[in-house]
Amino acid sequence: VSASYLTPDGVIPALSHVNLTLRPGTVTALVGPSGSGKSTLATMLARFRDPDSGVVRIGGVDLKDLAQDDLYRLVSFVLQDPYMQRRSIRDVITLARPDATDDQVCEAARAAHILDDIDALPKGFDTVLGEDTDFSGGQKQRLSIARAVLADAPILVLDEATAATDPDCEAEIQQALAALARGRTVLAIGHHAESVAGADVICVMEGGCIVACGSSEELADQPYWARLSAGRAMEGVTQ
């Protein structure tokens, strides 16, 4: 796939002839500097945008040939800064499964370590975000995980959800994410080496291209991965 963005300064390439296959039941991690194309590539699986050229397929089927409801039964996502529309907590969690029972919604919230926070609210699951209460970033991330748990989709797009969260809820989010990812095909955006070192395949992206792929051990001499592993990679440097 290839893709570009139109800006006031002209067309900016985002991806250039990227080829990637996710094997079922494995974790594939994307790492690289800010602006290297990680998010653009990963969120194409959820059709946040389509490629300018090339095709994204699931099981050989072009995503453009899938109805939106069918796509979101196959793909769920947990992003670092999840957008929450002004709606009830129940509606946020049941976005992909509006027919879910109250028990199923509660179980999803419990799995995401957010049920206690919801039960503490006067209106519980009927609380409207942005109107009755404002959740913290960590709470929104856990709501996003609850939504993905309930959706039970076989493919998960995961932007490292603890990268910008408070330390006091980081462990809970990590536990919820680990349980969510188990047995699924995962495409993860990594910002820290320790969070993706155990991935089946780590892909290093630079300038909209995948420049190296392999396990953590196989990438030991790859310059970016070596810096990331040593804690010296500069995520803020744009390619």
Side-chain angles (χ1 to χ4, degrees), residues 212-234:
C213 282
S215 66
S216 177
E217 293 77 14
E218 291 168 339
L219 293 176
D221 295 329
Q222 204 282 330
Y224 183 85
W225 179 251
R227 293 197 304 273
L228 194 68
S229 299
R232 297 193 302 269
M234 297 175 63

Side-chain angles (χ1 to χ4, degrees), residues 2-60:
S2 294
S4 59
Y5 292 99
L6 182 60
T7 73
D9 296 324
V11 176
I12 305 298
L15 297 172
S16 180
H17 304 292
V18 174
N19 290 296
L20 181 62
T21 299
L22 311 180
R23 290 181 289 113
T26 64
V27 177
T28 301
L30 303 177
V31 300
S34 178
S36 58
K38 303 185 300 294
S39 294
T40 302
L41 181 61
T43 54
M44 278 185 178
L45 262 179
R47 285 202 74 187
F48 282 20
R49 71 157 293 165
D50 293 324
D52 297 336
S53 62
V55 180
V56 182
R57 298 184 178 92
I58 295 177

Side-chain angles (χ1 to χ4, degrees), residues 121-141:
L121 298 168
K123 294 184 181 179
F125 284 94
D126 292 323
T127 301
V128 176
L129 293 179
E131 183 174 309
D132 297 321
T133 190
D134 286 317
F135 265 6
S136 69
Q139 288 172 314
K140 288 180 180 179
Q141 287 161 348

Side-chain angles (χ1 to χ4, degrees), residues 153-223:
I155 301 169
L156 174 64
V157 178
L158 176 62
D159 190 353
E160 190 175 298
T162 60
T165 194
D166 298 328
D168 58 347
C169 63
E170 182 172 350
E172 290 183 345
I173 293 176
Q174 286 286 20
Q175 291 171 12
L177 290 175
L180 176 60
R182 195 170 299 123
R184 288 177 166 81
T185 303
V186 179
L187 180 59
I189 302 170
H191 303 275
H192 303 286
E194 61 270 19
S195 67
V196 298
D200 297 286
V201 179
I202 299 167
C203 298
V204 180
M205 297 193 68
E206 293 180 3
C209 300
I210 293 177
V211 296
C213 282
S215 66
S216 177
E217 293 77 14
E218 291 168 339
L219 293 176
D221 295 329
Q222 204 282 330

